[in-house]
Amino acid sequence: MSAADSVRFGVLLGSHRDAGQSDTDVLQRSVALAKQADALGVDDVWITEHHFLDSVVAPSSMALAAYLLGATERITVGTAVTLLPLHSPVHTAEQAALLDQVSGGRFVLGVGRGQPLVEYEVIGGGVEHWRSGMPAALDQTLASFLGKVPGPEPLPLVPQPATPGGPPVYVAANSEDSVRLAAERGLPMLLYFDKDPGTKALMIEEYRRFAGDTKASGDHAFALYTYLTESADEARELMRERARAMLKGINRDRVLIPVPGNRPGGTEIEERVEEITDQLLAMHAVGDAETCVDRLVHNISVSGCHRVLCQVEPFGRTPAAAGVLDRLAREVFPAVRARLAGGSDAG
């Protein structure tokens, strides 16, 4: 199957809150964007999970996924990600099987551990559980899908998933340990915003070494900022805002990792901001339609990932998201498929 045939375009909804927006404003926007993506023929919509952040309204990826599956007709709904160590693995498997059943196979379970912040102290396990709890939680979830619910005696999973073996499971991968975790279980990876296409390709090579030929999955996914702007200056300003957040360690949306090391000041910080802005502009699909097509084709071709999670909500400008999504679905995604079918890449 060619890249053009196998590529899937999805929308990543972070449920971010801009200044002055209420919980209702944020959640209504998320639901509206999911319905819009469904109507436009977008392949997937992905939703996040975060706790105790005033800037994000996303405390339950599973609950919102259930609502969106009921509110849409054809689109696949995935979690990116369910913070698996914070939840009972068996209960997660039960919920995923239920969603797989009632949606006719339109649910994808993305799992990860997130960041070792206050949620691990308040909800479950502490930082040590963040460090060590993911492998066992994942294995219990997968075993439950196969009817091997851990307990004092054999217990059934009710309901059984409609999809044999359970719905598709993706593992968020940001380190060698998480690459190995996914590979040894034969599960595809979900790669994030801070990895350039070359780094993603190297991680997939590493995955294949860990997995061996018999288990290697080719269905990896990656997330990308994907904004259509009116000018190059607007595109640069959007990525400059991201660069400043990274340097300050704000990590407001918790999808970009702050730059390590000592935090610079004065002239030095401005130089670093511009350096990181250049890197982000070269990596992400931010700019006019032609630039977005170029960046998406390049990311897909170089990385080897064929499932794309497009972050379409410009930070601080979330009301623009509906217009961005409409143009992506009508102008950009078809052009990317055409370019991939023709075997053309762009740098």
Side-chain angles (χ1 to χ4, degrees), residues 32-327:
L33 287 171
K35 290 180 177 179
Q36 180 185 0
D38 188 42
L40 287 168
V42 175
D43 297 306
D44 308 319
V45 61
W46 299 81
I47 50 183
T48 61
E49 178 183 339
H50 298 293
H51 300 273
F52 316 124
L53 291 177
D54 186 60
S55 57
V56 182
V57 187
S60 175
S61 59
M62 299 291 279
L64 185 54
Y67 184 87
L68 294 182
L69 285 165
T72 56
E73 296 181 359
R74 43 148 299 279
I75 200 166
T76 296
V77 178
T79 61
V81 292
T82 296
L83 301 180
L84 191 55
L86 292 181
H87 305 284
S88 159
V90 175
H91 190 205
T92 299
E94 287 178 328
Q95 294 176 83
L98 178 63
L99 296 183
D100 185 50
Q101 281 280 358
V102 298
S103 70
R106 289 195 291 129
F107 177 67
V108 176
L109 178 63
V111 297
R113 61 180 185 168
Q115 298 295 325
L117 301 178
V118 67
E119 53 204 13
Y120 274 86
E121 297 296 339
V122 173
I123 297 175
V127 173
E128 184 54 41
H129 188 56
W130 172 83
R131 292 193 183 100
S132 62
M134 183 67 187
L138 179 58
D139 287 342
Q140 290 178 27
T141 302
L142 298 175
S144 298
F145 286 146
L146 299 175
K148 300 176 182 178
V149 176
E153 59 186 46
L155 298 170
L157 186 74
V158 181
Q160 286 286 303
T163 302
V169 177
Y170 278 74
V171 177
N174 277 308
S175 66
E176 180 178 308
D177 286 345
S178 54
V179 172
R180 182 190 292 271
L181 178 70
E184 290 181 345
R185 289 148 182 82
L187 301 175
M189 297 184 295
L190 174 55
L191 307 176
Y192 276 91
F193 297 85
D194 57 314
K195 306 293 190 297
D196 62 40
T199 300
K200 294 184 180 83
L202 291 173
M203 293 176 74
I204 291 174
E205 287 184 15
E206 185 177 46
Y207 174 98
R208 292 192 183 112
R209 288 196 299 272
F210 287 137
D213 292 339
T214 59
K215 288 186 176 180
S217 170
D219 193 28
H220 304 294
F222 70 96
L224 203 69
Y225 292 124
T226 317
Y227 309 148
L228 282 135
T229 64
E230 296 300 321
S231 67
D233 288 343
E234 183 186 359
R236 187 168 192 84
E237 184 55 33
L238 280 171
M239 291 297 93
R240 185 181 286 121
E241 292 170 4
R242 293 290 82 218
R244 289 188 186 282
M246 292 168 68
L247 278 174
K248 291 178 180 178
I250 293 174
N251 205 14
R252 178 176 181 267
D253 57 336
R254 291 208 277 171
V255 293
L256 273 178
I257 297 173
V259 174
N262 295 328
R263 294 176 187 170
T267 303
E268 184 183 356
I269 194 170
E270 292 305 316
E271 291 174 353
R272 290 287 285 132
V273 164
E274 294 308 312
E275 177 187 346
I276 296 168
T277 299
D278 288 339
Q279 293 170 359
L280 293 174
L281 284 170
M283 187 190 317
H284 294 280
V286 180
D288 59 22
E290 183 177 357
T291 298
C292 290
V293 172
D294 286 347
R295 295 290 181 268
L296 283 165
V297 169
H298 182 66
N299 272 272
I300 293 166
S301 301
V302 173
S303 72
C305 300
H306 292 165
R307 199 162 197 165
V308 190
L309 285 64
C310 296
Q311 220 294 13
V312 301
E313 300 164 288
F315 298 94
R317 313 174 197 190
T318 53
V324 170
L325 174 56
D326 186 76
R327 292 192 61 196

